[in-house]
PDB file of all heavy atoms in Angstrom:
ATOM      1  N   ALA A 361      -7.816  -6.182  25.038  1.00 98.00           N
ATOM      2  CA  ALA A 361      -8.745  -4.945  24.772  1.00 98.00           C
ATOM      3  C   ALA A 361      -9.752  -5.323  23.659  1.00 98.00           C
ATOM      4  O   ALA A 361     -10.877  -4.797  23.716  1.00 98.00           O
ATOM      5  CB  ALA A 361      -7.873  -3.860  24.334  1.00 98.00           C
ATOM      6  N   PHE A 362      -9.405  -6.073  22.740  1.00 98.00           N
ATOM      7  CA  PHE A 362     -10.351  -6.653  21.699  1.00 98.00           C
ATOM      8  C   PHE A 362     -10.751  -8.051  22.245  1.00 98.00           C
ATOM      9  O   PHE A 362      -9.868  -8.931  22.436  1.00 98.00           O
ATOM     10  CB  PHE A 362      -9.732  -6.770  20.296  1.00 98.00           C
ATOM     11  CG  PHE A 362     -10.679  -7.132  19.254  1.00 98.00           C
ATOM     12  CD1 PHE A 362     -11.665  -6.201  18.852  1.00 98.00           C
ATOM     13  CD2 PHE A 362     -10.701  -8.416  18.803  1.00 98.00           C
ATOM     14  CE1 PHE A 362     -12.650  -6.526  17.881  1.00 98.00           C
ATOM     15  CE2 PHE A 362     -11.619  -8.754  17.702  1.00 98.00           C
ATOM     16  CZ  PHE A 362     -12.525  -7.763  17.357  1.00 98.00           C
ATOM     17  N   ASP A 363     -11.973  -8.243  22.356  1.00 98.00           N
ATOM     18  CA  ASP A 363     -12.467  -9.548  22.950  1.00 98.00           C
ATOM     19  C   ASP A 363     -13.815  -9.974  22.405  1.00 98.00           C
ATOM     20  O   ASP A 363     -14.821  -9.424  22.790  1.00 98.00           O
ATOM     21  CB  ASP A 363     -12.472  -9.285  24.513  1.00 98.00           C
ATOM     22  CG  ASP A 363     -12.811 -10.667  25.136  1.00 98.00           C
ATOM     23  OD1 ASP A 363     -13.010 -11.754  24.478  1.00 98.00           O
ATOM     24  OD2 ASP A 363     -12.905 -10.614  26.415  1.00 98.00           O
ATOM     25  N   ILE A 364     -13.703 -10.939  21.505  1.00 98.00           N
ATOM     26  CA  ILE A 364     -14.987 -11.285  20.899  1.00 98.00           C
ATOM     27  C   ILE A 364     -15.907 -12.083  21.849  1.00 98.00           C
ATOM     28  O   ILE A 364     -17.086 -12.328  21.639  1.00 98.00           O
ATOM     29  CB  ILE A 364     -14.924 -12.194  19.655  1.00 98.00           C
ATOM     30  CG1 ILE A 364     -13.841 -13.379  19.843  1.00 98.00           C
ATOM     31  CG2 ILE A 364     -14.302 -11.336  18.421  1.00 98.00           C
ATOM     32  CD1 ILE A 364     -13.805 -14.480  18.706  1.00 98.00           C
ATOM     33  N   LEU A 366     -16.949 -11.075  24.618  1.00 98.00           N
ATOM     34  CA  LEU A 366     -17.553 -10.184  25.489  1.00 98.00           C
ATOM     35  C   LEU A 366     -19.109 -10.065  25.244  1.00 98.00           C
ATOM     36  O   LEU A 366     -19.752  -9.326  25.896  1.00 98.00           O
ATOM     37  CB  LEU A 366     -17.053  -8.718  25.155  1.00 98.00           C
ATOM     38  CG  LEU A 366     -17.053  -7.677  26.203  1.00 98.00           C
ATOM     39  CD1 LEU A 366     -16.470  -8.133  27.519  1.00 98.00           C
ATOM     40  CD2 LEU A 366     -16.377  -6.359  25.758  1.00 98.00           C
ATOM     41  N   ASP A 418     -19.143 -12.448  19.733  1.00 97.00           N
ATOM     42  CA  ASP A 418     -19.888 -11.307  19.043  1.00 97.00           C
ATOM     43  C   ASP A 418     -18.924 -10.776  17.999  1.00 97.00           C
ATOM     44  O   ASP A 418     -17.719 -10.455  18.426  1.00 97.00           O
ATOM     45  CB  ASP A 418     -20.325 -10.252  20.097  1.00 97.00           C
ATOM     46  CG  ASP A 418     -20.652  -8.929  19.428  1.00 97.00           C
ATOM     47  OD1 ASP A 418     -20.768  -8.914  18.142  1.00 97.00           O
ATOM     48  OD2 ASP A 418     -20.639  -7.832  20.107  1.00 97.00           O
ATOM     49  N   GLY A 420     -19.176  -8.350  15.954  1.00 96.00           N
ATOM     50  CA  GLY A 420     -19.493  -6.901  15.543  1.00 96.00           C
ATOM     51  C   GLY A 420     -18.318  -6.175  15.136  1.00 96.00           C
ATOM     52  O   GLY A 420     -18.394  -5.129  14.369  1.00 96.00           O
ATOM     53  N   GLY A 421     -17.192  -6.482  15.834  1.00 96.00           N
ATOM     54  CA  GLY A 421     -16.012  -5.686  15.557  1.00 96.00           C
ATOM     55  C   GLY A 421     -15.023  -6.097  14.638  1.00 96.00           C
ATOM     56  O   GLY A 421     -13.945  -5.615  14.461  1.00 96.00           O
ATOM     57  N   LYS A 424     -17.317  -6.986   9.360  1.00 98.00           N
ATOM     58  CA  LYS A 424     -17.246  -6.118   8.232  1.00 98.00           C
ATOM     59  C   LYS A 424     -15.859  -6.003   7.640  1.00 98.00           C
ATOM     60  O   LYS A 424     -15.742  -5.999   6.411  1.00 98.00           O
ATOM     61  CB  LYS A 424     -17.762  -4.673   8.689  1.00 98.00           C
ATOM     62  CG  LYS A 424     -19.206  -4.550   8.671  1.00 98.00           C
ATOM     63  CD  LYS A 424     -19.733  -3.237   9.059  1.00 98.00           C
ATOM     64  CE  LYS A 424     -19.234  -2.746  10.354  1.00 98.00           C
ATOM     65  NZ  LYS A 424     -19.591  -1.333  10.554  1.00 98.00           N
ATOM     66  N   GLY A 448     -20.063   0.692   5.673  1.00 86.00           N
ATOM     67  CA  GLY A 448     -20.434   1.499   6.865  1.00 86.00           C
ATOM     68  C   GLY A 448     -19.282   1.754   7.780  1.00 86.00           C
ATOM     69  O   GLY A 448     -19.207   1.268   8.795  1.00 86.00           O
ATOM     70  N   ASN A 450     -16.139   0.972   7.222  1.00 92.00           N
ATOM     71  CA  ASN A 450     -14.931   0.189   6.677  1.00 92.00           C
ATOM     72  C   ASN A 450     -14.880   0.390   5.117  1.00 92.00           C
ATOM     73  O   ASN A 450     -15.752  -0.033   4.410  1.00 92.00           O
ATOM     74  CB  ASN A 450     -15.308  -1.380   6.970  1.00 92.00           C
ATOM     75  CG  ASN A 450     -15.178  -1.713   8.463  1.00 92.00           C
ATOM     76  OD1 ASN A 450     -15.621  -0.970   9.250  1.00 92.00           O
ATOM     77  ND2 ASN A 450     -14.400  -2.728   8.632  1.00 92.00           N
ATOM     78  N   THR A 492     -12.652   3.008  10.570  1.00 91.00           N
ATOM     79  CA  THR A 492     -12.835   3.974  11.822  1.00 91.00           C
ATOM     80  C   THR A 492     -13.847   3.264  12.835  1.00 91.00           C
ATOM     81  O   THR A 492     -14.844   2.738  12.515  1.00 91.00           O
ATOM     82  CB  THR A 492     -13.450   5.273  11.249  1.00 91.00           C
ATOM     83  OG1 THR A 492     -12.516   5.952  10.439  1.00 91.00           O
ATOM     84  CG2 THR A 492     -13.659   6.129  12.486  1.00 91.00           C
ATOM     85  N   SER A 493     -13.359   3.307  14.083  1.00 92.00           N
ATOM     86  CA  SER A 493     -14.319   3.015  15.081  1.00 92.00           C
ATOM     87  C   SER A 493     -14.571   4.216  15.959  1.00 92.00           C
ATOM     88  O   SER A 493     -13.499   4.816  16.378  1.00 92.00           O
ATOM     89  CB  SER A 493     -13.616   1.925  16.007  1.00 92.00           C
ATOM     90  OG  SER A 493     -13.824   0.573  15.615  1.00 92.00           O
ATOM     91  N   GLN A 497     -21.513   6.713  16.128  1.00 74.00           N
ATOM     92  CA  GLN A 497     -22.424   6.032  15.274  1.00 74.00           C
ATOM     93  C   GLN A 497     -23.490   5.250  16.014  1.00 74.00           C
ATOM     94  O   GLN A 497     -24.561   5.259  15.587  1.00 74.00           O
ATOM     95  CB  GLN A 497     -21.672   5.132  14.343  1.00 74.00           C
ATOM     96  CG  GLN A 497     -20.981   5.816  13.225  1.00 74.00           C
ATOM     97  CD  GLN A 497     -20.026   4.893  12.486  1.00 74.00           C
ATOM     98  OE1 GLN A 497     -18.960   4.452  13.209  1.00 74.00           O
ATOM     99  NE2 GLN A 497     -20.319   4.429  11.423  1.00 74.00           N
ATOM    100  N   ARG A 498     -23.066   4.591  17.102  1.00 83.00           N
ATOM    101  CA  ARG A 498     -24.056   3.830  17.720  1.00 83.00           C
ATOM    102  C   ARG A 498     -23.901   4.177  19.291  1.00 83.00           C
ATOM    103  O   ARG A 498     -22.967   3.751  19.912  1.00 83.00           O
ATOM    104  CB  ARG A 498     -23.534   2.174  17.465  1.00 83.00           C
ATOM    105  CG  ARG A 498     -24.712   1.369  17.233  1.00 83.00           C
ATOM    106  CD  ARG A 498     -24.210   0.074  16.761  1.00 83.00           C
ATOM    107  NE  ARG A 498     -23.921   0.152  15.198  1.00 83.00           N
ATOM    108  CZ  ARG A 498     -24.773  -0.517  14.474  1.00 83.00           C
ATOM    109  NH1 ARG A 498     -25.735  -1.258  14.814  1.00 83.00           N
ATOM    110  NH2 ARG A 498     -24.391  -0.373  13.119  1.00 83.00           N
ATOM    111  N   HIS A 509     -21.107   1.960  22.094  1.00 94.00           N
ATOM    112  CA  HIS A 509     -21.045   0.650  21.947  1.00 94.00           C
ATOM    113  C   HIS A 509     -19.631  -0.171  21.945  1.00 94.00           C
ATOM    114  O   HIS A 509     -19.501  -1.310  21.760  1.00 94.00           O
ATOM    115  CB  HIS A 509     -21.775   0.092  20.566  1.00 94.00           C
ATOM    116  CG  HIS A 509     -21.026   0.550  19.372  1.00 94.00           C
ATOM    117  ND1 HIS A 509     -21.008  -0.313  18.196  1.00 94.00           N
ATOM    118  CD2 HIS A 509     -20.171   1.547  19.046  1.00 94.00           C
ATOM    119  CE1 HIS A 509     -20.312   0.228  17.350  1.00 94.00           C
ATOM    120  NE2 HIS A 509     -19.831   1.333  17.800  1.00 94.00           N
ATOM    121  N   ILE A 510     -18.661   0.714  22.167  1.00 96.00           N
ATOM    122  CA  ILE A 510     -17.324   0.009  22.262  1.00 96.00           C
ATOM    123  C   ILE A 510     -16.966  -0.207  23.756  1.00 96.00           C
ATOM    124  O   ILE A 510     -16.746   0.792  24.500  1.00 96.00           O
ATOM    125  CB  ILE A 510     -16.287   0.767  21.501  1.00 96.00           C
ATOM    126  CG1 ILE A 510     -16.642   0.989  20.034  1.00 96.00           C
ATOM    127  CG2 ILE A 510     -14.889   0.130  21.655  1.00 96.00           C
ATOM    128  CD1 ILE A 510     -15.683   1.920  19.159  1.00 96.00           C
ATOM    129  N   LEU A 511     -17.002  -1.493  24.149  1.00 97.00           N
ATOM    130  CA  LEU A 511     -16.834  -1.690  25.617  1.00 97.00           C
ATOM    131  C   LEU A 511     -15.451  -2.020  25.886  1.00 97.00           C
ATOM    132  O   LEU A 511     -14.676  -2.656  25.333  1.00 97.00           O
ATOM    133  CB  LEU A 511     -17.795  -2.928  25.933  1.00 97.00           C
ATOM    134  CG  LEU A 511     -19.280  -2.710  25.552  1.00 97.00           C
ATOM    135  CD1 LEU A 511     -20.071  -3.986  25.894  1.00 97.00           C
ATOM    136  CD2 LEU A 511     -19.836  -1.498  26.123  1.00 97.00           C
ATOM    137  N   PRO A 513     -13.446  -4.379  28.049  1.00 98.00           N
ATOM    138  CA  PRO A 513     -13.488  -5.725  28.610  1.00 98.00           C
ATOM    139  C   PRO A 513     -13.191  -5.838  30.133  1.00 98.00           C
ATOM    140  O   PRO A 513     -13.568  -6.734  30.760  1.00 98.00           O
ATOM    141  CB  PRO A 513     -12.662  -6.579  27.771  1.00 98.00           C
ATOM    142  CG  PRO A 513     -12.422  -5.856  26.479  1.00 98.00           C
ATOM    143  CD  PRO A 513     -12.476  -4.419  26.848  1.00 98.00           C
ATOM    144  N   ASP A 537     -10.195  -3.624  11.271  1.00 97.00           N
ATOM    145  CA  ASP A 537     -11.428  -3.592  12.026  1.00 97.00           C
ATOM    146  C   ASP A 537     -11.150  -3.938  13.445  1.00 97.00           C
ATOM    147  O   ASP A 537     -11.549  -3.308  14.405  1.00 97.00           O
ATOM    148  CB  ASP A 537     -12.394  -4.529  11.426  1.00 97.00           C
ATOM    149  CG  ASP A 537     -13.858  -4.213  11.750  1.00 97.00           C
ATOM    150  OD1 ASP A 537     -14.069  -3.348  12.541  1.00 97.00           O
ATOM    151  OD2 ASP A 537     -14.741  -4.968  11.253  1.00 97.00           O
ATOM    152  N   THR A 541     -11.148  -1.197  16.980  1.00 97.00           N
ATOM    153  CA  THR A 541     -11.876  -1.409  18.121  1.00 97.00           C
ATOM    154  C   THR A 541     -10.816  -1.540  19.354  1.00 97.00           C
ATOM    155  O   THR A 541     -11.087  -0.900  20.317  1.00 97.00           O
ATOM    156  CB  THR A 541     -12.824  -2.685  17.946  1.00 97.00           C
ATOM    157  OG1 THR A 541     -13.485  -2.645  16.750  1.00 97.00           O
ATOM    158  CG2 THR A 541     -13.684  -2.841  19.121  1.00 97.00           C
ATOM    159  N   VAL A 545     -10.101   0.998  22.824  1.00 97.00           N
ATOM    160  CA  VAL A 545     -10.042   0.646  24.123  1.00 97.00           C
ATOM    161  C   VAL A 545      -8.814   0.972  24.910  1.00 97.00           C
ATOM    162  O   VAL A 545      -8.806   1.387  25.966  1.00 97.00           O
ATOM    163  CB  VAL A 545     -10.556  -0.893  24.350  1.00 97.00           C
ATOM    164  CG1 VAL A 545     -10.294  -1.338  25.721  1.00 97.00           C
ATOM    165  CG2 VAL A 545     -11.937  -1.161  23.774  1.00 97.00           C
TER     166      VAL A 545
HETATM  167  P1  ADP B 250     -18.736  -0.654  14.039  1.00 72.24           P
HETATM  168  O1  ADP B 250     -19.495  -1.906  14.281  1.00 72.24           O
HETATM  169  O2  ADP B 250     -19.556   0.614  14.347  1.00 72.24           O
HETATM  170  O3  ADP B 250     -17.916  -0.560  12.722  1.00 72.24           O
HETATM  171  P2  ADP B 250     -16.603  -1.494  15.755  1.00 72.24           P
HETATM  172  O4  ADP B 250     -15.885  -2.194  14.636  1.00 72.24           O
HETATM  173  O5  ADP B 250     -15.777  -0.751  16.605  1.00 72.24           O
HETATM  174  O6  ADP B 250     -17.731  -0.591  15.198  1.00 72.24           O
HETATM  175  O7  ADP B 250     -17.306  -2.653  16.521  1.00 72.24           O
HETATM  176  C1  ADP B 250     -18.109  -2.511  17.608  1.00 72.24           C
HETATM  177  C2  ADP B 250     -18.869  -3.723  17.885  1.00 72.24           C
HETATM  178  O8  ADP B 250     -17.989  -4.780  18.299  1.00 72.24           O
HETATM  179  C3  ADP B 250     -19.848  -3.416  19.019  1.00 72.24           C
HETATM  180  O9  ADP B 250     -21.149  -3.170  18.538  1.00 72.24           O
HETATM  181  C4  ADP B 250     -19.811  -4.796  19.561  1.00 72.24           C
HETATM  182  O10 ADP B 250     -20.622  -5.804  18.775  1.00 72.24           O
HETATM  183  C5  ADP B 250     -18.423  -5.395  19.496  1.00 72.24           C
HETATM  184  N1  ADP B 250     -17.491  -4.923  20.615  1.00 72.24           N
HETATM  185  C6  ADP B 250     -17.677  -3.851  21.442  1.00 72.24           C
HETATM  186  N2  ADP B 250     -16.618  -3.778  22.270  1.00 72.24           N
HETATM  187  C7  ADP B 250     -15.735  -4.701  21.836  1.00 72.24           C
HETATM  188  C8  ADP B 250     -14.478  -5.080  22.266  1.00 72.24           C
HETATM  189  N3  ADP B 250     -13.709  -4.422  23.350  1.00 72.24           N
HETATM  190  N4  ADP B 250     -13.927  -6.064  21.639  1.00 72.24           N
HETATM  191  C9  ADP B 250     -14.502  -6.720  20.595  1.00 72.24           C
HETATM  192  N5  ADP B 250     -15.680  -6.411  20.281  1.00 72.24           N
HETATM  193  C10 ADP B 250     -16.320  -5.414  20.788  1.00 72.24           C
END
Side-chain angles (χ1 to χ4, degrees):
F362 186 75
D363 184 1
I364 55 169
L366 206 56
D418 162 17
K424 280 187 295 175
N450 287 47
T492 296
S493 273
Q497 278 170 291
R498 223 167 277 248
H509 71 147
I510 304 173
L511 304 177
D537 199 359
T541 308
V545 172

